[in-house]
Amino acid sequence: MLTVSRLSKAFGRLQAVQDVTLQIKPGQIVGLIGPNGSGKSTLLNCIAGTITPDSGRINFDGHDITGAPPDRIFRHGIARSHQDPALFQRMSVLDNTLLPARQQTGESARRAPLHHLWRAQENRLAGRAGAILQRLRLGNHYVTRASDLSGGQMKLLELGRSLAGEPKLMLLDEPTAGVAPVLAYEIFEQIATLRGEGLTFLIVEHRLEILFDFVDHLFVMHLGGLLAQGSPAEIAANAQVKEVYFGE
Ligand SMILES: Nc1ncnc2c1ncn2[C@@H]1O[C@H](COP(=O)(O)OP(=O)(O)OP(=O)(O)O)[C@@H](O)[C@H]1O
Ligand SMILES: [Mg+2]
């Protein structure tokens, strides 16, 4: 589904991502781990199109998306959440969730004043957004301003907003950072349910004790490069990984 080939990205003299090659199959939950600064977010940003790689290729679902703008990559079916939630702070939870829906009739300046042209679509989209928010336990917060949510709820809202774009692949950058342990586990249970419905995930996560329970496959980065890959059991037993990641 996703193939990253020999991808590199430098910031000045710092090689943030170096010659990374990896593949993700449809329906997988894949973990991307590594110490702080090892290049995980930069790799995710290259895939999502918010950073243009210096070299290498990214193929998704039969399309070469290398260097494509983020909106086009989103239209191909890749949605992402950010390490630091990037919400529209002064908009409500529901409005944030309604944003990614495609081809909204009321978005056109010409049609916007003509309510009858888009009211039914708006209702349908709001119903769908509402169902997503219920699922993520934000059902009591439709009208809450995004800025008034807790850190954990902001993470959930980002996840919900990504889902509303009906993606095929979700890139999640530390979906449980700042979230209480019980809720963190619940987020991963939701991810597993969504995978059962056909979604594919690439997840950066520092909480390995949770991540390892849910992933099919893991990639380990170190100093911009790919250090190892394998099943959770293989990675847990890998001596090099233990050395750089767990400091053993
Ligand atoms: N926009 C940028 N400009 C300059 N340097 C950057 C930029 N973004 C990241 N870096 C540097 O690139 C390296 C990789 O950063 P990246 O954010 O990809 O790491 P990470 O693995 O996501 O780390 P963390 O686990 O702390 O989130 C780091 O040394 C970081 O300081
Ligand atoms: Mg990061």
Side-chain angles (χ1 to χ4, degrees):
M1 177 180 228
L2 180 79
T3 306
V4 173
S5 316
R6 307 209 58 180
L7 202 81
S8 294
K9 173 70 192 176
F11 297 110
R13 278 186 301 174
L14 181 101
Q15 197 65 49
V17 172
Q18 187 157 26
D19 207 18
V20 167
T21 295
L22 57 82
Q23 282 194 7
I24 296 176
K25 299 190 185 111
Q28 280 189 325
I29 301 179
V30 175
L32 178 61
I33 65 173
N36 291 119
S38 55
K40 306 178 297 293
S41 294
T42 305
L43 177 60
L44 244 52
N45 289 332
C46 287
I47 298 170
T50 49
I51 287 180
T52 306
D54 299 329
S55 59
R57 304 237 64 92
I58 306 169
N59 274 274
F60 174 69
D61 221 14
H63 305 275
D64 184 345
I65 57 164
T66 320
D71 59 316
R72 191 184 312 154
I73 292 175
F74 170 75
R75 282 200 297 276
H76 281 308
I78 299 182
R80 59 91 52 90
S81 72
H82 301 79
Q83 188 163 348
D84 300 312
L87 297 165
F88 293 90
Q89 297 287 343
R90 280 153 58 175
M91 283 167 59
S92 72
V93 165
L94 185 62
D95 283 342
N96 266 282
T97 314
L98 278 167
L99 274 169
R102 295 148 203 258
Q103 290 164 347
Q104 298 189 51
T105 313
E107 276 178 355
S108 128
R110 212 156 31 84
R111 299 198 191 104
L114 307 170
H115 293 196
H116 65 280
L117 288 181
W118 47 261
R119 189 175 288 137
Q121 185 192 37
E122 188 85 357
N123 281 337
R124 192 164 43 75
L125 292 174
R128 207 182 65 201
I132 290 172
L133 292 172
Q134 290 279 357
R135 212 176 158 154
L136 297 175
R137 296 171 189 258
L138 290 169
N140 294 328
H141 294 283
Y142 291 165
V143 296
T144 306
R145 270 160 66 127
S147 57
D148 293 338
L149 295 175
S150 73
Q153 287 171 327
M154 287 184 188
K155 283 283 186 191
L156 286 167
L157 178 53
E158 265 226 324
L159 188 61
R161 188 180 56 182
S162 308
L163 283 172
E166 300 189 303
K168 298 175 194 156
L169 171 66
M170 302 240 320
L171 312 173
L172 306 181
D173 202 346
E174 302 194 21
T176 75
V179 175
V182 177
L183 185 56
Y185 209 86
E186 277 178 24
I187 290 176
F188 269 92
E189 282 173 341
Q190 290 282 354
I191 289 168
T193 307
L194 290 162
R195 181 264 289 278
E197 295 168 14
L199 263 169
T200 306
F201 289 89
L202 176 59
I203 307 176
V204 173
E205 183 56 69
H206 280 296
R207 287 165 117 149
L208 303 187
E209 75 286 3
I210 305 178
L211 186 73
F212 275 46
D213 279 352
F214 288 91
V215 290
D216 307 300
H217 195 81
L218 286 150
F219 293 101
V220 186
M221 288 186 77
H222 179 52
L223 300 174
L226 205 63
L227 180 75
Q229 62 169 301
S231 67
E234 285 165 347
I235 294 302
N238 183 307
Q240 265 183 309
V241 173
K242 280 188 197 166
E243 194 179 317
V244 304
Y245 200 84
F246 306 104
E248 283 174 19

